Amino acid sequence: MDIVVAGNKMNALVDTGASDLFLSETAAKKLGLRVEKGNGWIKTVNSKEVPTMGRVQGVEIQLGQWTGKEAVYVIPLDDYELVVGLEFLDRINALLVPIANCHVPKIRIREKSEK
């Protein structure tokens, strides 16, 4: 899925098991984001628990018509620079709409009145 982070278009993985927005340390450096060091830990599927690098507050995010500022956790990531969690999508009222013969789901932002 395409998403704009700090003014830069990125390809993200939608992870229905993830809670928030997660960015690789490499991507955070490339975007020039100031990471506030933290003492958190993260456990992903088929891996050991590892420390997070920290968090970036107030990152400008654009997904479709939706725009806002969000906290993004900086963690070790291998295959994607950005992971978008289901709780974030729910918070912004996004609706995942899978399309036949397509590996990338379409996302539509629902209006609050559509709940």
Side-chain angles (χ1 to χ4, degrees):
M1 140 176 105
D2 291 331
I3 185 170
V4 179
V5 178
N8 295 275
K9 186 176 180 181
M10 300 180 75
N11 191 334
L13 170 72
V14 175
D15 184 344
T16 58
S19 56
D20 292 288
L21 295 166
F22 299 95
L23 188 65
S24 72
E25 187 174 21
T26 304
K29 286 179 184 175
K30 193 182 331 179
L31 296 172
L33 299 175
R34 189 177 147 269
V35 180
E36 298 171 6
K37 297 295 180 195
N39 57 359
W41 290 78
I42 189 162
K43 167 87 172 78
T44 59
V45 175
N46 298 328
S47 70
K48 294 181 180 180
E49 189 174 51
V50 295
T52 64
M53 279 61 179
R55 191 163 98 161
V56 182
Q57 296 284 357
V59 178
E60 188 71 35
I61 306 286
Q62 180 183 351
L63 178 58
Q65 303 279 332
W66 183 88
T67 329
K69 292 188 177 189
E70 292 287 326
V72 178
Y73 293 91
V74 180
I75 65 170
L77 288 172
D78 293 333
D79 298 327
Y80 282 84
E81 291 185 318
L82 179 66
V83 174
V84 176
L86 198 57
E87 287 181 26
F88 164 75
L89 294 173
D90 189 46
R91 195 166 58 245
I92 67 167
N93 290 317
L95 176 65
L96 291 174
V97 182
I99 297 177
N101 299 323
C102 180
H103 296 288
V104 181
K106 295 291 182 189
I107 295 180
R108 183 170 83 84
I109 310 300
R110 297 181 306 227
E111 296 296 323
K112 290 194 186 275
S113 61
E114 293 182 80
K115 285 190 172 182

